[in-house]
Amino acid sequence: MAFDFKKEYKEFYMPKNKPEIVTVPKANYIAVRGKGDPNEVDGAYQRAINVLYAVAYTLKMSYKTDHTIEGFFEYVVPPLEGFWWQSGADSVDYSDKSSFNWISVIRLPDFITKDDFNWAVETASKKKKLDCSSAEFLTIDEGLCVQIMHHGSYDDEPATIALMDAYLEQNGYENDMTGGRLHHEIYLSDPRKTAAEKQKTVIRHPIKKIP
């Protein structure tokens, strides 16, 4: 049976419906950076996702090619994730999606090296006739975070985030969204196939203990 990150690392992909504190280990990702409204038809965000999946599935199916990845085992491509921020803002203003900055990512198994990644970008570009040069091999070390499972529309996230903020205040923590530590979402539902009220999204925020 193929390795499934969601099942093997439930503590990071399947949190409860109430806030919880976790320490997220360092991991490698396929990443594409951009700016703008993610709902724009054929916009930068949609194109970024096409690139991410092209590279991700090229790596997943590499065992059927002449490229050998040391330590490879079959796995399920992990869910799409996104890091979001708006310049000059400590929180996310969902009414102004055009000002979003984002880094869209898909997690990589630990056995995939930078050389393997470079091979996949080149191969996907040729086979898919898609420019995948915007993809980068990115290592992220999230560290101490609070997370929760959000049910429903992305636009309804502020109410869920308020629960997270209240939990932090009650337990002596505060948000630490500075520098590279960002609002993080993991998408467990395909919005093209799932009604908004039934969507599941992991929301994760970097935090620190209040001195």
Side-chain angles (χ1 to χ4, degrees):
M1 184 178 293
F3 184 93
D4 189 335
F5 285 84
K6 296 192 302 297
K7 293 179 180 178
E8 298 296 331
Y9 301 115
K10 289 182 179 179
E11 66 270 33
F12 303 123
Y13 290 97
M14 299 299 293
K16 299 180 176 64
N17 300 332
K18 59 184 180 180
E20 58 188 21
I21 292 174
V22 293
T23 299
V24 184
K26 183 187 297 184
N28 297 324
Y29 298 83
I30 311 165
V32 178
R33 301 171 188 265
K35 182 174 183 177
D37 187 342
N39 297 321
E40 180 186 351
V41 178
D42 296 325
Y45 183 76
Q46 302 298 330
R47 295 194 299 272
I49 291 175
N50 290 338
V51 169
L52 287 175
Y53 279 110
V55 177
Y57 277 94
T58 298
L59 286 164
K60 170 184 167 62
M61 303 307 293
S62 63
Y63 68 96
K64 293 189 175 183
T65 73
D66 293 335
H67 183 82
T68 301
I69 297 178
E70 186 175 350
F72 181 93
F73 52 78
E74 290 190 52
Y75 62 96
V76 177
V77 170
L80 178 70
E81 308 182 36
F83 293 88
W84 300 83
W85 75 100
Q86 288 161 311
S87 300
D90 293 330
S91 58
V92 178
D93 179 2
Y94 292 84
S95 67
D96 186 16
K97 295 184 175 66
S98 64
S99 68
F100 278 160
N101 299 285
W102 39 262
I103 307 173
S104 292
V105 304
I106 294 177
R107 185 172 175 176
L108 290 170
D110 292 341
F111 55 71
I112 291 177
T113 67
K114 183 66 166 20
D115 287 341
D116 297 323
F117 173 84
N118 291 339
W119 166 84
V121 169
E122 182 179 349
T123 301
S125 296
K126 290 178 180 177
K127 288 191 173 181
K128 307 285 186 182
K129 293 181 170 54
L130 176 69
D131 182 5
C132 295
S133 61
S134 59
E136 61 181 285
F137 184 91
L138 184 63
T139 301
I140 300 174
D141 188 359
E142 287 191 86
L144 190 66
C145 296
V146 62
Q147 65 181 18
I148 193 172
M149 181 71 80
H150 171 71
H151 295 265
S153 166
Y154 305 133
D155 289 337
D156 293 336
E157 287 184 9
T160 301
I161 291 171
L163 294 176
M164 298 166 69
D165 290 344
Y167 176 83
L168 294 180
E169 185 176 355
Q170 293 164 6
N171 290 275
Y173 292 87
E174 62 184 0
N175 287 302
D176 187 29
M177 284 185 272
T178 56
R181 308 194 77 203
L182 302 166
H183 172 91
H184 184 184
E185 299 179 358
I186 303 174
Y187 308 106
L188 301 180
S189 307
D190 185 340
R192 298 169 299 178
K193 302 176 182 178
T194 309
E197 65 271 14
K198 294 184 178 180
Q199 291 175 7
K200 292 182 179 181
T201 307
V202 180
I203 301 177
R204 185 181 294 160
H205 282 174
I207 62 172
K208 62 182 179 181
K209 191 76 175 174
I210 297 174

